[in-house]
């Protein structure tokens, strides 16, 4: 399972990079807007440095296939050829994905709300397909069924495409996406905070610590070793 962070906040990335088995960082124009006006390419270069070999996904905004290809070229000129170009799966987007893949560019096909969009992006050779879990649920679209169907299609065609499930508002949605066969998920730092924020986890850790200290009278294993020397 690959875990990615759906943020470009440097502090959050630095923090979670040291904790998570992090496979990548994803972004889109709305995520960029949250950081206010940044020096775009300098900011992404800093993220690249922070995350090392993990992948960085940057979205195009062009509306025609030509504009999308031009956006992709500028992004790669600044950030390198190992970047993943995020392209929404609409008509010009799919046309651009075919051309980008013909040139060997890394592509994340995004804004997927339907099975058919996913099948087309897989057939066009996208490296990742990103179904929008919570947004689908809000539209009464069965996100579970769509992820399952895409996973079956990838298996059936022995495709190299991976499902990068996105748009999560809680941990239960992430769990469902994983169960249905998503290869990767991208989630905001809030979701990872929810995972570790369970009061029961905190309680278990403090109870264990208390019992240890009551048994040995020192704070940890290192202190015990030192006390015995
Ligand atoms: O598509 C990817 C990754 O490929 C994500 O960055 C994706 O754009 C975001 O998860 C969604 O747009 C966020 O959705 P939401 O939180 O606005 O519902």
């Amino acid at each position: 399972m690959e875990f990615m962070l759906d943020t470009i906040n440097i502090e959050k990335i630095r923090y979670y990079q040291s904790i998570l088995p992090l496979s990548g960082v994803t972004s889109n124009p709305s995520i960029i807007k949250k950081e206010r006006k940044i020096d775009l390419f300098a900011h992404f270069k800093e993220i690249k440095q922070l995350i090392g070999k993990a992948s960085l996904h940057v979205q195009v905004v062009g509306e025609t296939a030509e504009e999308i290809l031009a956006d992709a070229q500028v992004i790669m000129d600044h950030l390198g050829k190992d970047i993943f170009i995020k392209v929404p799966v609409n008509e010009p987007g799919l046309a651009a994905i075919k051309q980008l893949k013909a040139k060997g560019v890394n592509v994340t096909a995004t804004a997927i709300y339907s099975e058919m969009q996913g099948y087309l992006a897989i057939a066009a050779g996208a490296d990742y397909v990103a179904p929008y879990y919570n947004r689908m649920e809000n539209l009464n679209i069965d996100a579970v069924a769509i992820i399952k169907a895409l996973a079956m299609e990838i298996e059936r065609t022995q495709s190299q495409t991976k499902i990068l499930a996105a748009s999560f508002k809680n941990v239960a949605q992430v769990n469902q996406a994983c169960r249905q066969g998503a290869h990767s998920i991208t989630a905001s730092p809030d979701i990872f905070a929810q995972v570790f924020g369970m009061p029961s986890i905190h309680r278990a850790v403090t109870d264990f610590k208390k019992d240890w200290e009551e048994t040995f009278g020192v704070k940890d294993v290192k202190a015990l070793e030192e006390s015995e020397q």
Side-chain angles (χ1 to χ4, degrees):
M1 191 70 198
E2 295 179 3
F3 293 95
M4 303 200 193
L5 274 171
D6 212 13
T7 182
I8 62 155
N9 182 282
I10 299 283
E11 289 321 309
K12 294 273 164 66
I13 293 171
R14 182 174 287 117
Y15 178 71
Y16 279 107
Q17 198 270 345
S18 69
I19 293 173
L20 301 174
L22 188 68
S23 295
V25 166
T26 56
S27 65
N28 65 35
S30 309
I31 289 170
I32 292 171
K33 188 180 170 194
K34 285 186 194 156
E35 299 304 304
R36 313 238 170 240
K37 207 149 186 330
I38 51 168
D39 180 345
L40 189 73
F41 293 116
H43 192 99
F44 276 123
K45 278 182 190 158
E46 195 177 341
I47 293 175
K48 260 191 109 181
Q49 266 204 327
L50 260 178
I51 65 175
K53 286 203 166 75
S55 59
L56 179 59
H57 303 243
V58 180
Q59 191 159 329
V60 294
V61 281
E63 288 175 320
T64 64
E66 291 68 33
E67 287 170 1
I68 291 170
L69 294 173
D71 278 359
Q73 192 56 55
V74 174
I75 293 168
M76 286 188 290
D77 288 347
H78 283 270
L79 300 175
K81 293 206 182 323
D82 55 342
I83 217 81
F84 282 75
I85 304 292
K86 269 183 75 185
V87 185
V89 184
N90 55 12
E91 287 179 9
L94 193 60
I97 289 172
K98 283 203 313 178
Q99 294 192 50
L100 289 169
K101 285 317 300 174
K103 291 190 215 153
V105 173
N106 298 325
V107 172
T108 299
T110 195
I112 292 184
Y113 290 81
S114 73
E115 229 168 287
M116 187 80 179
Q117 271 180 298
Y119 294 150
L120 288 166
I122 292 165
D127 299 276
Y128 288 97
V129 287
Y132 281 6
Y133 198 106
N134 189 66
R135 292 191 190 200
M136 285 195 276
E137 282 203 330
N138 287 345
L139 294 167
N140 208 19
I141 297 168
D142 189 345
V144 162
I146 292 201
I147 293 174
K148 192 172 183 179
L150 296 181
M152 281 168 57
E153 176 65 1
I154 288 168
E155 179 71 22
R156 187 183 71 80
T157 57
Q158 293 294 294
S159 162
Q160 295 301 305
T161 305
K162 292 180 184 173
I163 298 170
L164 169 56
S167 175
F168 293 109
K169 290 292 169 268
N170 58 58
V171 176
Q173 292 176 334
V174 176
N175 291 341
Q176 272 297 347
C178 296
R179 279 186 215 141
Q180 302 313 317
H183 308 87
S184 327
I185 65 96
T186 186
S188 70
D190 295 356
I191 300 286
F192 292 105
Q194 280 176 33
V195 174
F196 303 114
M198 276 179 78
S200 311
I201 300 175
H202 179 70
R203 181 71 197 268
V205 172
T206 46
D207 284 352
F208 292 141
K209 179 81 176 166
K210 188 166 157 281
D211 288 343
W212 169 275
E213 285 177 355
E214 282 173 11
T215 308
F216 294 109
V218 291
K219 76 178 179 82
D220 55 24
V221 180
K222 179 119 181 37
L224 177 65
E225 188 196 37
E226 282 165 3
S227 74
E228 287 172 348
Q229 278 167 3

